[in-house]
Amino acid sequence: MSKEKLQNLVKEFPEYSDVFDAVLVWFENHPKINAISMDTFYSSNFGFSESHISIAFTIMKQTKILKTIYRVLDEDGAKIGRDFNTIDEIPATLDTMSGQKKDIDDVFIVPYYSINK
């Protein structure tokens, strides 16, 4: 993502610049991790309200700085399968790492966000 795009976003939405910066710094500090959930920023370490985070992420999605991907998690929070670009791509049954079959009704579908390159 270009610095110019971020600067324009900060000018247009200055009240969310702290979240924009935190997200981009997080990705810079974790180059091997390609996606995050909003939960990452709900901790007291950041001090953002949930609504502030939600609105900032929505703005970053609408301006195509971030894109949404979907991950399937089991009851313990372990990822099952690959990342999906849409919910419709997720099959009705998925295989866990141990080969166990999981029905889509027995798992969690969680939106994650990655930098839109």
Side-chain angles (χ1 to χ4, degrees):
M1 186 200 67
S2 74
K3 294 283 184 191
E4 182 180 328
K5 196 170 185 178
L6 178 61
Q7 289 169 347
N8 291 337
L9 194 62
V10 168
K11 285 179 191 173
E12 191 172 351
F13 303 99
E15 63 273 27
Y16 300 104
S17 63
D18 52 351
V19 178
F20 301 152
D21 288 337
V23 170
L24 296 174
V25 166
W26 191 93
F27 275 109
E28 287 172 1
N29 290 337
H30 301 87
K32 293 184 179 189
I33 301 175
N34 66 351
I36 55 171
S37 72
M38 279 193 272
D39 291 350
T40 304
F41 300 95
Y42 289 155
S43 74
S44 60
N45 296 341
F46 291 99
F48 306 135
S49 71
E50 287 187 26
S51 63
H52 201 71
I53 294 167
S54 295
I55 293 168
F57 269 75
T58 299
I59 292 167
M60 288 186 284
K61 282 176 34 187
Q62 289 175 343
T63 57
K64 301 198 184 316
I65 289 174
L66 296 179
K67 67 178 180 176
T68 306
I69 60 171
Y70 297 92
R71 289 188 174 168
V72 179
L73 307 178
D74 68 13
E75 61 277 353
D76 296 322
K79 182 180 169 189
I80 302 172
R82 63 177 177 84
D83 292 340
F84 298 91
N85 292 316
T86 67
I87 290 177
D88 295 334
E89 288 180 9
I90 302 171
T93 305
L94 296 129
D95 292 328
T96 66
M97 294 288 277
S98 63
Q100 182 183 27
K101 297 241 183 249
K102 289 281 185 177
D103 188 75
I104 196 71
D105 294 331
D106 298 329
V107 297
F108 302 98
I109 299 172
V110 181
Y112 276 71
Y113 303 89
S114 64
I115 296 289
N116 199 6
K117 297 180 182 181

